[in-house]
PDB file of all heavy atoms in Angstrom:
ATOM      1  N   PRO A  87      10.751  13.038  14.414  1.00  0.00           N
ATOM      2  CA  PRO A  87      11.443  13.756  13.337  1.00  0.00           C
ATOM      3  C   PRO A  87      11.988  12.815  12.263  1.00  0.00           C
ATOM      4  O   PRO A  87      12.008  13.161  11.080  1.00  0.00           O
ATOM      5  CB  PRO A  87      12.586  14.491  14.036  1.00  0.00           C
ATOM      6  CG  PRO A  87      12.333  14.405  15.480  1.00  0.00           C
ATOM      7  CD  PRO A  87      11.347  13.321  15.705  1.00  0.00           C
ATOM      8  N   LEU A  88      12.409  11.635  12.681  1.00  0.00           N
ATOM      9  CA  LEU A  88      12.903  10.658  11.698  1.00  0.00           C
ATOM     10  C   LEU A  88      11.785  10.212  10.770  1.00  0.00           C
ATOM     11  O   LEU A  88      12.005  10.024   9.567  1.00  0.00           O
ATOM     12  CB  LEU A  88      13.526   9.459  12.412  1.00  0.00           C
ATOM     13  CG  LEU A  88      14.792   9.755  13.212  1.00  0.00           C
ATOM     14  CD1 LEU A  88      15.252   8.510  13.939  1.00  0.00           C
ATOM     15  CD2 LEU A  88      15.880  10.307  12.323  1.00  0.00           C
ATOM     16  N   ALA A  89      10.588  10.059  11.301  1.00  0.00           N
ATOM     17  CA  ALA A  89       9.448   9.682  10.464  1.00  0.00           C
ATOM     18  C   ALA A  89       9.105  10.802   9.475  1.00  0.00           C
ATOM     19  O   ALA A  89       8.784  10.533   8.314  1.00  0.00           O
ATOM     20  CB  ALA A  89       8.240   9.356  11.343  1.00  0.00           C
ATOM     21  N   VAL A  90       9.203  12.043   9.931  1.00  0.00           N
ATOM     22  CA  VAL A  90       8.941  13.178   9.035  1.00  0.00           C
ATOM     23  C   VAL A  90       9.968  13.195   7.906  1.00  0.00           C
ATOM     24  O   VAL A  90       9.621  13.365   6.734  1.00  0.00           O
ATOM     25  CB  VAL A  90       8.958  14.509   9.822  1.00  0.00           C
ATOM     26  CG1 VAL A  90       8.949  15.702   8.879  1.00  0.00           C
ATOM     27  CG2 VAL A  90       7.787  14.572  10.776  1.00  0.00           C
ATOM     28  N   LEU A  91      11.237  13.002   8.246  1.00  0.00           N
ATOM     29  CA  LEU A  91      12.285  12.984   7.222  1.00  0.00           C
ATOM     30  C   LEU A  91      12.124  11.811   6.267  1.00  0.00           C
ATOM     31  O   LEU A  91      12.357  11.943   5.058  1.00  0.00           O
ATOM     32  CB  LEU A  91      13.662  12.955   7.878  1.00  0.00           C
ATOM     33  CG  LEU A  91      14.089  14.250   8.560  1.00  0.00           C
ATOM     34  CD1 LEU A  91      15.400  14.050   9.305  1.00  0.00           C
ATOM     35  CD2 LEU A  91      14.210  15.366   7.543  1.00  0.00           C
ATOM     36  N   HIS A  92      11.726  10.655   6.790  1.00  0.00           N
ATOM     37  CA  HIS A  92      11.514   9.483   5.936  1.00  0.00           C
ATOM     38  C   HIS A  92      10.373   9.737   4.956  1.00  0.00           C
ATOM     39  O   HIS A  92      10.477   9.430   3.767  1.00  0.00           O
ATOM     40  CB  HIS A  92      11.218   8.255   6.794  1.00  0.00           C
ATOM     41  CG  HIS A  92      10.923   7.029   5.999  1.00  0.00           C
ATOM     42  ND1 HIS A  92      11.887   6.357   5.274  1.00  0.00           N
ATOM     43  CD2 HIS A  92       9.770   6.372   5.781  1.00  0.00           C
ATOM     44  CE1 HIS A  92      11.334   5.336   4.654  1.00  0.00           C
ATOM     45  NE2 HIS A  92      10.046   5.316   4.949  1.00  0.00           N
ATOM     46  N   ARG A  93       9.288  10.310   5.436  1.00  0.00           N
ATOM     47  CA  ARG A  93       8.151  10.625   4.560  1.00  0.00           C
ATOM     48  C   ARG A  93       8.546  11.663   3.516  1.00  0.00           C
ATOM     49  O   ARG A  93       8.141  11.567   2.349  1.00  0.00           O
ATOM     50  CB  ARG A  93       6.981  11.122   5.402  1.00  0.00           C
ATOM     51  CG  ARG A  93       5.748  11.322   4.604  1.00  0.00           C
ATOM     52  CD  ARG A  93       4.540  11.482   5.486  1.00  0.00           C
ATOM     53  NE  ARG A  93       3.360  11.578   4.652  1.00  0.00           N
ATOM     54  CZ  ARG A  93       2.503  12.564   4.713  1.00  0.00           C
ATOM     55  NH1 ARG A  93       2.655  13.514   5.596  1.00  0.00           N
ATOM     56  NH2 ARG A  93       1.463  12.580   3.911  1.00  0.00           N
ATOM     57  N   HIS A  94       9.333  12.629   3.918  1.00  0.00           N
ATOM     58  CA  HIS A  94       9.832  13.651   3.000  1.00  0.00           C
ATOM     59  C   HIS A  94      10.671  13.007   1.888  1.00  0.00           C
ATOM     60  O   HIS A  94      10.490  13.295   0.708  1.00  0.00           O
ATOM     61  CB  HIS A  94      10.660  14.665   3.789  1.00  0.00           C
ATOM     62  CG  HIS A  94      11.363  15.674   2.966  1.00  0.00           C
ATOM     63  ND1 HIS A  94      10.712  16.703   2.339  1.00  0.00           N
ATOM     64  CD2 HIS A  94      12.672  15.817   2.664  1.00  0.00           C
ATOM     65  CE1 HIS A  94      11.585  17.442   1.692  1.00  0.00           C
ATOM     66  NE2 HIS A  94      12.787  16.928   1.873  1.00  0.00           N
ATOM     67  N   ARG A  95      11.555  12.108   2.275  1.00  0.00           N
ATOM     68  CA  ARG A  95      12.425  11.427   1.300  1.00  0.00           C
ATOM     69  C   ARG A  95      11.611  10.555   0.343  1.00  0.00           C
ATOM     70  O   ARG A  95      11.872  10.509  -0.856  1.00  0.00           O
ATOM     71  CB  ARG A  95      13.456  10.588   2.060  1.00  0.00           C
ATOM     72  CG  ARG A  95      14.320   9.707   1.212  1.00  0.00           C
ATOM     73  CD  ARG A  95      15.242  10.556   0.338  1.00  0.00           C
ATOM     74  NE  ARG A  95      15.947   9.746  -0.602  1.00  0.00           N
ATOM     75  CZ  ARG A  95      17.174   9.306  -0.438  1.00  0.00           C
ATOM     76  NH1 ARG A  95      17.825   9.593   0.650  1.00  0.00           N
ATOM     77  NH2 ARG A  95      17.737   8.573  -1.357  1.00  0.00           N
ATOM     78  N   ARG A  96      10.618   9.858   0.873  1.00  0.00           N
ATOM     79  CA  ARG A  96       9.765   9.036   0.008  1.00  0.00           C
ATOM     80  C   ARG A  96       9.016   9.892  -0.990  1.00  0.00           C
ATOM     81  O   ARG A  96       8.819   9.508  -2.138  1.00  0.00           O
ATOM     82  CB  ARG A  96       8.793   8.215   0.847  1.00  0.00           C
ATOM     83  CG  ARG A  96       9.487   7.050   1.537  1.00  0.00           C
ATOM     84  CD  ARG A  96       8.542   6.168   2.267  1.00  0.00           C
ATOM     85  NE  ARG A  96       7.484   5.696   1.372  1.00  0.00           N
ATOM     86  CZ  ARG A  96       6.367   5.148   1.777  1.00  0.00           C
ATOM     87  NH1 ARG A  96       6.162   4.991   3.072  1.00  0.00           N
ATOM     88  NH2 ARG A  96       5.463   4.742   0.933  1.00  0.00           N
ATOM     89  N   GLY A  97       8.576  11.074  -0.567  1.00  0.00           N
ATOM     90  CA  GLY A  97       7.897  11.994  -1.475  1.00  0.00           C
ATOM     91  C   GLY A  97       8.808  12.454  -2.604  1.00  0.00           C
ATOM     92  O   GLY A  97       8.384  12.559  -3.762  1.00  0.00           O
ATOM     93  N   ILE A  98      10.060  12.717  -2.284  1.00  0.00           N
ATOM     94  CA  ILE A  98      11.040  13.107  -3.305  1.00  0.00           C
ATOM     95  C   ILE A  98      11.239  11.975  -4.292  1.00  0.00           C
ATOM     96  O   ILE A  98      11.205  12.179  -5.517  1.00  0.00           O
ATOM     97  CB  ILE A  98      12.377  13.496  -2.659  1.00  0.00           C
ATOM     98  CG1 ILE A  98      12.231  14.779  -1.856  1.00  0.00           C
ATOM     99  CG2 ILE A  98      13.468  13.653  -3.718  1.00  0.00           C
ATOM    100  CD1 ILE A  98      13.432  15.093  -0.998  1.00  0.00           C
ATOM    101  N   ASP A  99      11.453  10.771  -3.783  1.00  0.00           N
ATOM    102  CA  ASP A  99      11.665   9.617  -4.662  1.00  0.00           C
ATOM    103  C   ASP A  99      10.459   9.363  -5.556  1.00  0.00           C
ATOM    104  O   ASP A  99      10.601   9.044  -6.740  1.00  0.00           O
ATOM    105  CB  ASP A  99      11.994   8.366  -3.845  1.00  0.00           C
ATOM    106  CG  ASP A  99      13.379   8.419  -3.232  1.00  0.00           C
ATOM    107  OD1 ASP A  99      14.210   9.229  -3.709  1.00  0.00           O
ATOM    108  OD2 ASP A  99      13.637   7.671  -2.280  1.00  0.00           O
ATOM    109  N   GLU A 100       9.266   9.512  -5.001  1.00  0.00           N
ATOM    110  CA  GLU A 100       8.048   9.313  -5.781  1.00  0.00           C
ATOM    111  C   GLU A 100       7.924  10.375  -6.879  1.00  0.00           C
ATOM    112  O   GLU A 100       7.532  10.074  -8.008  1.00  0.00           O
ATOM    113  CB  GLU A 100       6.819   9.349  -4.869  1.00  0.00           C
ATOM    114  CG  GLU A 100       5.519   9.125  -5.575  1.00  0.00           C
ATOM    115  CD  GLU A 100       5.404   7.772  -6.261  1.00  0.00           C
ATOM    116  OE1 GLU A 100       6.013   6.797  -5.791  1.00  0.00           O
ATOM    117  OE2 GLU A 100       4.704   7.702  -7.289  1.00  0.00           O
ATOM    118  N   ALA A 101       8.263  11.614  -6.560  1.00  0.00           N
ATOM    119  CA  ALA A 101       8.194  12.686  -7.562  1.00  0.00           C
ATOM    120  C   ALA A 101       9.174  12.442  -8.706  1.00  0.00           C
ATOM    121  O   ALA A 101       8.836  12.625  -9.879  1.00  0.00           O
ATOM    122  CB  ALA A 101       8.476  14.036  -6.904  1.00  0.00           C
ATOM    123  N   VAL A 102      10.386  12.004  -8.382  1.00  0.00           N
ATOM    124  CA  VAL A 102      11.386  11.727  -9.423  1.00  0.00           C
ATOM    125  C   VAL A 102      10.945  10.533 -10.262  1.00  0.00           C
ATOM    126  O   VAL A 102      11.066  10.546 -11.490  1.00  0.00           O
ATOM    127  CB  VAL A 102      12.785  11.499  -8.812  1.00  0.00           C
ATOM    128  CG1 VAL A 102      13.785  11.064  -9.870  1.00  0.00           C
ATOM    129  CG2 VAL A 102      13.278  12.756  -8.117  1.00  0.00           C
ATOM    130  N   ARG A 103      10.418   9.500  -9.604  1.00  0.00           N
ATOM    131  CA  ARG A 103       9.958   8.326 -10.345  1.00  0.00           C
ATOM    132  C   ARG A 103       8.823   8.694 -11.296  1.00  0.00           C
ATOM    133  O   ARG A 103       8.796   8.279 -12.464  1.00  0.00           O
ATOM    134  CB  ARG A 103       9.491   7.222  -9.395  1.00  0.00           C
ATOM    135  CG  ARG A 103       9.174   5.908 -10.118  1.00  0.00           C
ATOM    136  CD  ARG A 103       8.398   4.957  -9.253  1.00  0.00           C
ATOM    137  NE  ARG A 103       7.114   5.486  -8.843  1.00  0.00           N
ATOM    138  CZ  ARG A 103       6.043   5.625  -9.622  1.00  0.00           C
ATOM    139  NH1 ARG A 103       6.110   5.312 -10.892  1.00  0.00           N
ATOM    140  NH2 ARG A 103       4.907   6.092  -9.140  1.00  0.00           N
ATOM    141  N   ALA A 104       7.887   9.510 -10.834  1.00  0.00           N
ATOM    142  CA  ALA A 104       6.768   9.931 -11.687  1.00  0.00           C
ATOM    143  C   ALA A 104       7.268  10.761 -12.870  1.00  0.00           C
ATOM    144  O   ALA A 104       6.795  10.587 -13.999  1.00  0.00           O
ATOM    145  CB  ALA A 104       5.761  10.734 -10.864  1.00  0.00           C
ATOM    146  N   LYS A 105       8.217  11.642 -12.620  1.00  0.00           N
ATOM    147  CA  LYS A 105       8.751  12.475 -13.698  1.00  0.00           C
ATOM    148  C   LYS A 105       9.502  11.630 -14.729  1.00  0.00           C
ATOM    149  O   LYS A 105       9.369  11.863 -15.934  1.00  0.00           O
ATOM    150  CB  LYS A 105       9.670  13.551 -13.109  1.00  0.00           C
ATOM    151  CG  LYS A 105      10.143  14.545 -14.119  1.00  0.00           C
ATOM    152  CD  LYS A 105       8.996  15.378 -14.642  1.00  0.00           C
ATOM    153  CE  LYS A 105       9.525  16.435 -15.594  1.00  0.00           C
ATOM    154  NZ  LYS A 105       8.476  17.115 -16.316  1.00  0.00           N
ATOM    155  N   THR A 106      10.270  10.639 -14.266  1.00  0.00           N
ATOM    156  CA  THR A 106      10.981   9.780 -15.222  1.00  0.00           C
ATOM    157  C   THR A 106       9.997   8.935 -16.022  1.00  0.00           C
ATOM    158  O   THR A 106      10.236   8.665 -17.194  1.00  0.00           O
ATOM    159  CB  THR A 106      12.023   8.880 -14.533  1.00  0.00           C
ATOM    160  OG1 THR A 106      11.391   8.080 -13.549  1.00  0.00           O
ATOM    161  CG2 THR A 106      13.144   9.697 -13.936  1.00  0.00           C
ATOM    162  N   SER A 107       8.881   8.534 -15.405  1.00  0.00           N
ATOM    163  CA  SER A 107       7.862   7.788 -16.148  1.00  0.00           C
ATOM    164  C   SER A 107       7.241   8.650 -17.240  1.00  0.00           C
ATOM    165  O   SER A 107       6.976   8.174 -18.343  1.00  0.00           O
ATOM    166  CB  SER A 107       6.775   7.289 -15.205  1.00  0.00           C
ATOM    167  OG  SER A 107       7.291   6.345 -14.306  1.00  0.00           O
ATOM    168  N   GLU A 108       7.016   9.931 -16.924  1.00  0.00           N
ATOM    169  CA  GLU A 108       6.492  10.853 -17.931  1.00  0.00           C
ATOM    170  C   GLU A 108       7.483  11.071 -19.069  1.00  0.00           C
ATOM    171  O   GLU A 108       7.094  11.220 -20.218  1.00  0.00           O
ATOM    172  CB  GLU A 108       6.190  12.219 -17.298  1.00  0.00           C
ATOM    173  CG  GLU A 108       5.021  12.250 -16.373  1.00  0.00           C
ATOM    174  CD  GLU A 108       4.879  13.612 -15.703  1.00  0.00           C
ATOM    175  OE1 GLU A 108       5.538  14.585 -16.138  1.00  0.00           O
ATOM    176  OE2 GLU A 108       4.116  13.699 -14.724  1.00  0.00           O
ATOM    177  N   MET A 109       8.762  11.097 -18.733  1.00  0.00           N
ATOM    178  CA  MET A 109       9.798  11.383 -19.730  1.00  0.00           C
ATOM    179  C   MET A 109      10.167  10.169 -20.578  1.00  0.00           C
ATOM    180  O   MET A 109      10.902  10.302 -21.555  1.00  0.00           O
ATOM    181  CB  MET A 109      11.059  11.901 -19.030  1.00  0.00           C
ATOM    182  CG  MET A 109      10.888  13.240 -18.368  1.00  0.00           C
ATOM    183  SD  MET A 109      12.329  13.722 -17.391  1.00  0.00           S
ATOM    184  CE  MET A 109      13.579  13.869 -18.659  1.00  0.00           C
ATOM    185  N   GLU A 110       9.686   8.987 -20.216  1.00  0.00           N
ATOM    186  CA  GLU A 110      10.072   7.755 -20.907  1.00  0.00           C
ATOM    187  C   GLU A 110       9.768   7.801 -22.403  1.00  0.00           C
ATOM    188  O   GLU A 110      10.535   7.286 -23.217  1.00  0.00           O
ATOM    189  CB  GLU A 110       9.398   6.545 -20.259  1.00  0.00           C
ATOM    190  CG  GLU A 110       9.795   5.206 -20.828  1.00  0.00           C
ATOM    191  CD  GLU A 110      11.260   4.853 -20.591  1.00  0.00           C
ATOM    192  OE1 GLU A 110      11.816   5.235 -19.544  1.00  0.00           O
ATOM    193  OE2 GLU A 110      11.834   4.195 -21.463  1.00  0.00           O
ATOM    194  N   SER A 111       8.671   8.430 -22.794  1.00  0.00           N
ATOM    195  CA  SER A 111       8.309   8.458 -24.219  1.00  0.00           C
ATOM    196  C   SER A 111       9.281   9.316 -25.038  1.00  0.00           C
ATOM    197  O   SER A 111       9.592   8.985 -26.176  1.00  0.00           O
ATOM    198  CB  SER A 111       6.878   8.974 -24.396  1.00  0.00           C
ATOM    199  OG  SER A 111       6.778  10.298 -23.918  1.00  0.00           O
ATOM    200  N   THR A 112       9.770  10.387 -24.462  1.00  0.00           N
ATOM    201  CA  THR A 112      10.705  11.256 -25.195  1.00  0.00           C
ATOM    202  C   THR A 112      12.167  10.913 -24.941  1.00  0.00           C
ATOM    203  O   THR A 112      13.025  11.268 -25.735  1.00  0.00           O
ATOM    204  CB  THR A 112      10.472  12.736 -24.829  1.00  0.00           C
ATOM    205  OG1 THR A 112      10.618  12.891 -23.418  1.00  0.00           O
ATOM    206  CG2 THR A 112       9.106  13.196 -25.272  1.00  0.00           C
ATOM    207  N   HIS A 113      12.442  10.237 -23.824  1.00  0.00           N
ATOM    208  CA  HIS A 113      13.802   9.832 -23.467  1.00  0.00           C
ATOM    209  C   HIS A 113      13.807   8.330 -23.150  1.00  0.00           C
ATOM    210  O   HIS A 113      13.764   7.946 -21.979  1.00  0.00           O
ATOM    211  CB  HIS A 113      14.310  10.611 -22.252  1.00  0.00           C
ATOM    212  CG  HIS A 113      14.389  12.076 -22.467  1.00  0.00           C
ATOM    213  ND1 HIS A 113      13.310  12.914 -22.292  1.00  0.00           N
ATOM    214  CD2 HIS A 113      15.417  12.860 -22.857  1.00  0.00           C
ATOM    215  CE1 HIS A 113      13.676  14.150 -22.555  1.00  0.00           C
ATOM    216  NE2 HIS A 113      14.952  14.148 -22.906  1.00  0.00           N
ATOM    217  N   PRO A 114      13.838   7.493 -24.179  1.00  0.00           N
ATOM    218  CA  PRO A 114      13.774   6.048 -23.930  1.00  0.00           C
ATOM    219  C   PRO A 114      14.926   5.570 -23.044  1.00  0.00           C
ATOM    220  O   PRO A 114      16.066   5.944 -23.246  1.00  0.00           O
ATOM    221  CB  PRO A 114      13.871   5.428 -25.321  1.00  0.00           C
ATOM    222  CG  PRO A 114      13.769   6.545 -26.290  1.00  0.00           C
ATOM    223  CD  PRO A 114      13.990   7.815 -25.579  1.00  0.00           C
ATOM    224  N   GLY A 115      14.587   4.781 -22.044  1.00  0.00           N
ATOM    225  CA  GLY A 115      15.595   4.201 -21.163  1.00  0.00           C
ATOM    226  C   GLY A 115      15.822   4.983 -19.888  1.00  0.00           C
ATOM    227  O   GLY A 115      16.579   4.538 -19.029  1.00  0.00           O
ATOM    228  N   ILE A 116      15.163   6.119 -19.724  1.00  0.00           N
ATOM    229  CA  ILE A 116      15.412   6.919 -18.522  1.00  0.00           C
ATOM    230  C   ILE A 116      14.825   6.249 -17.270  1.00  0.00           C
ATOM    231  O   ILE A 116      15.400   6.354 -16.187  1.00  0.00           O
ATOM    232  CB  ILE A 116      14.907   8.369 -18.676  1.00  0.00           C
ATOM    233  CG1 ILE A 116      15.523   9.250 -17.577  1.00  0.00           C
ATOM    234  CG2 ILE A 116      13.393   8.438 -18.686  1.00  0.00           C
ATOM    235  CD1 ILE A 116      15.369  10.722 -17.794  1.00  0.00           C
ATOM    236  N   SER A 117      13.726   5.525 -17.428  1.00  0.00           N
ATOM    237  CA  SER A 117      13.163   4.821 -16.260  1.00  0.00           C
ATOM    238  C   SER A 117      14.101   3.723 -15.787  1.00  0.00           C
ATOM    239  O   SER A 117      14.301   3.537 -14.582  1.00  0.00           O
ATOM    240  CB  SER A 117      11.797   4.232 -16.595  1.00  0.00           C
ATOM    241  OG  SER A 117      10.854   5.253 -16.797  1.00  0.00           O
ATOM    242  N   GLU A 118      14.682   3.011 -16.718  1.00  0.00           N
ATOM    243  CA  GLU A 118      15.660   1.969 -16.365  1.00  0.00           C
ATOM    244  C   GLU A 118      16.896   2.598 -15.718  1.00  0.00           C
ATOM    245  O   GLU A 118      17.422   2.088 -14.728  1.00  0.00           O
ATOM    246  CB  GLU A 118      16.070   1.190 -17.617  1.00  0.00           C
ATOM    247  CG  GLU A 118      17.095   0.111 -17.351  1.00  0.00           C
ATOM    248  CD  GLU A 118      17.557  -0.535 -18.651  1.00  0.00           C
ATOM    249  OE1 GLU A 118      16.714  -0.727 -19.552  1.00  0.00           O
ATOM    250  OE2 GLU A 118      18.749  -0.830 -18.741  1.00  0.00           O
ATOM    251  N   ALA A 119      17.337   3.721 -16.270  1.00  0.00           N
ATOM    252  CA  ALA A 119      18.484   4.433 -15.694  1.00  0.00           C
ATOM    253  C   ALA A 119      18.149   4.923 -14.285  1.00  0.00           C
ATOM    254  O   ALA A 119      18.998   4.871 -13.385  1.00  0.00           O
ATOM    255  CB  ALA A 119      18.882   5.601 -16.581  1.00  0.00           C
ATOM    256  N   TYR A 120      16.910   5.378 -14.076  1.00  0.00           N
ATOM    257  CA  TYR A 120      16.504   5.831 -12.746  1.00  0.00           C
ATOM    258  C   TYR A 120      16.544   4.681 -11.748  1.00  0.00           C
ATOM    259  O   TYR A 120      17.041   4.841 -10.638  1.00  0.00           O
ATOM    260  CB  TYR A 120      15.103   6.444 -12.767  1.00  0.00           C
ATOM    261  CG  TYR A 120      14.552   6.653 -11.378  1.00  0.00           C
ATOM    262  CD1 TYR A 120      15.079   7.636 -10.555  1.00  0.00           C
ATOM    263  CD2 TYR A 120      13.534   5.845 -10.869  1.00  0.00           C
ATOM    264  CE1 TYR A 120      14.616   7.828  -9.270  1.00  0.00           C
ATOM    265  CE2 TYR A 120      13.066   6.032  -9.583  1.00  0.00           C
ATOM    266  CZ  TYR A 120      13.603   7.022  -8.794  1.00  0.00           C
ATOM    267  OH  TYR A 120      13.137   7.186  -7.508  1.00  0.00           O
ATOM    268  N   ARG A 121      16.037   3.518 -12.131  1.00  0.00           N
ATOM    269  CA  ARG A 121      16.056   2.372 -11.223  1.00  0.00           C
ATOM    270  C   ARG A 121      17.490   1.994 -10.867  1.00  0.00           C
ATOM    271  O   ARG A 121      17.787   1.678  -9.713  1.00  0.00           O
ATOM    272  CB  ARG A 121      15.311   1.194 -11.832  1.00  0.00           C
ATOM    273  CG  ARG A 121      13.805   1.343 -11.772  1.00  0.00           C
ATOM    274  CD  ARG A 121      13.082   0.066 -12.162  1.00  0.00           C
ATOM    275  NE  ARG A 121      13.296  -0.286 -13.557  1.00  0.00           N
ATOM    276  CZ  ARG A 121      12.601   0.197 -14.580  1.00  0.00           C
ATOM    277  NH1 ARG A 121      11.648   1.083 -14.352  1.00  0.00           N
ATOM    278  NH2 ARG A 121      12.843  -0.190 -15.813  1.00  0.00           N
ATOM    279  N   GLU A 122      18.378   2.045 -11.836  1.00  0.00           N
ATOM    280  CA  GLU A 122      19.789   1.731 -11.561  1.00  0.00           C
ATOM    281  C   GLU A 122      20.408   2.826 -10.694  1.00  0.00           C
ATOM    282  O   GLU A 122      21.153   2.545  -9.758  1.00  0.00           O
ATOM    283  CB  GLU A 122      20.560   1.591 -12.872  1.00  0.00           C
ATOM    284  CG  GLU A 122      21.990   1.149 -12.668  1.00  0.00           C
ATOM    285  CD  GLU A 122      22.730   0.959 -13.971  1.00  0.00           C
ATOM    286  OE1 GLU A 122      22.084   0.880 -15.045  1.00  0.00           O
ATOM    287  OE2 GLU A 122      23.973   0.895 -13.921  1.00  0.00           O
ATOM    288  N   TRP A 123      20.129   4.076 -11.009  1.00  0.00           N
ATOM    289  CA  TRP A 123      20.664   5.211 -10.260  1.00  0.00           C
ATOM    290  C   TRP A 123      20.167   5.178  -8.819  1.00  0.00           C
ATOM    291  O   TRP A 123      20.913   5.430  -7.893  1.00  0.00           O
ATOM    292  CB  TRP A 123      20.219   6.493 -10.951  1.00  0.00           C
ATOM    293  CG  TRP A 123      20.642   7.767 -10.316  1.00  0.00           C
ATOM    294  CD1 TRP A 123      21.851   8.382 -10.423  1.00  0.00           C
ATOM    295  CD2 TRP A 123      19.845   8.621  -9.485  1.00  0.00           C
ATOM    296  NE1 TRP A 123      21.849   9.555  -9.720  1.00  0.00           N
ATOM    297  CE2 TRP A 123      20.630   9.731  -9.132  1.00  0.00           C
ATOM    298  CE3 TRP A 123      18.530   8.541  -9.014  1.00  0.00           C
ATOM    299  CZ2 TRP A 123      20.151  10.748  -8.322  1.00  0.00           C
ATOM    300  CZ3 TRP A 123      18.057   9.561  -8.226  1.00  0.00           C
ATOM    301  CH2 TRP A 123      18.870  10.650  -7.893  1.00  0.00           C
ATOM    302  N   ARG A 124      18.901   4.841  -8.651  1.00  0.00           N
ATOM    303  CA  ARG A 124      18.282   4.807  -7.321  1.00  0.00           C
ATOM    304  C   ARG A 124      18.813   3.665  -6.471  1.00  0.00           C
ATOM    305  O   ARG A 124      19.081   3.828  -5.291  1.00  0.00           O
ATOM    306  CB  ARG A 124      16.757   4.667  -7.489  1.00  0.00           C
ATOM    307  CG  ARG A 124      15.996   4.396  -6.225  1.00  0.00           C
ATOM    308  CD  ARG A 124      15.816   5.670  -5.459  1.00  0.00           C
ATOM    309  NE  ARG A 124      14.942   5.442  -4.345  1.00  0.00           N
ATOM    310  CZ  ARG A 124      15.367   5.196  -3.103  1.00  0.00           C
ATOM    311  NH1 ARG A 124      16.631   5.176  -2.838  1.00  0.00           N
ATOM    312  NH2 ARG A 124      14.509   4.997  -2.135  1.00  0.00           N
ATOM    313  N   GLY A 125      19.004   2.517  -7.086  1.00  0.00           N
ATOM    314  CA  GLY A 125      19.390   1.354  -6.299  1.00  0.00           C
ATOM    315  C   GLY A 125      20.856   1.001  -6.339  1.00  0.00           C
ATOM    316  O   GLY A 125      21.353   0.313  -5.465  1.00  0.00           O
ATOM    317  N   GLY A 126      21.567   1.492  -7.320  1.00  0.00           N
ATOM    318  CA  GLY A 126      22.936   1.051  -7.533  1.00  0.00           C
ATOM    319  C   GLY A 126      23.971   1.679  -6.638  1.00  0.00           C
ATOM    320  O   GLY A 126      24.353   1.146  -5.597  1.00  0.00           O
ATOM    321  N   ASN A 127      24.410   2.859  -6.984  1.00  0.00           N
ATOM    322  CA  ASN A 127      25.586   3.431  -6.333  1.00  0.00           C
ATOM    323  C   ASN A 127      25.290   4.164  -5.032  1.00  0.00           C
ATOM    324  O   ASN A 127      26.191   4.439  -4.291  1.00  0.00           O
ATOM    325  CB  ASN A 127      26.304   4.375  -7.307  1.00  0.00           C
ATOM    326  CG  ASN A 127      25.413   5.498  -7.789  1.00  0.00           C
ATOM    327  OD1 ASN A 127      24.326   5.711  -7.279  1.00  0.00           O
ATOM    328  ND2 ASN A 127      25.875   6.201  -8.792  1.00  0.00           N
ATOM    329  N   GLY A 128      24.054   4.536  -4.788  1.00  0.00           N
ATOM    330  CA  GLY A 128      23.706   5.218  -3.555  1.00  0.00           C
ATOM    331  C   GLY A 128      24.168   6.667  -3.517  1.00  0.00           C
ATOM    332  O   GLY A 128      23.966   7.344  -2.526  1.00  0.00           O
TER     333      GLY A 128
END
């Protein structure tokens, strides 16, 4: 079950990362903000 949850979480993170990459052209700096948001405060 832990492996299933880990894979689920990775899928969520990948989806958010892909969406922020798509939004980078219309929202400059969102990819950088995502990296900080993802790794910074938890």
Side-chain angles (χ1 to χ4, degrees):
L88 294 176
V90 169
L91 289 174
H92 177 71
R93 186 166 184 235
H94 173 73
R95 173 67 188 262
R96 286 185 55 195
I98 292 170
D99 289 341
E100 181 61 30
V102 174
R103 188 195 61 73
K105 186 66 176 170
T106 58
S107 294
E108 289 175 13
M109 294 173 64
E110 184 65 33
S111 62
T112 57
H113 298 85
I116 195 167
S117 292
E118 179 185 322
Y120 168 71
R121 284 190 294 276
E122 185 178 344
W123 179 81
R124 171 79 172 97
N127 59 10

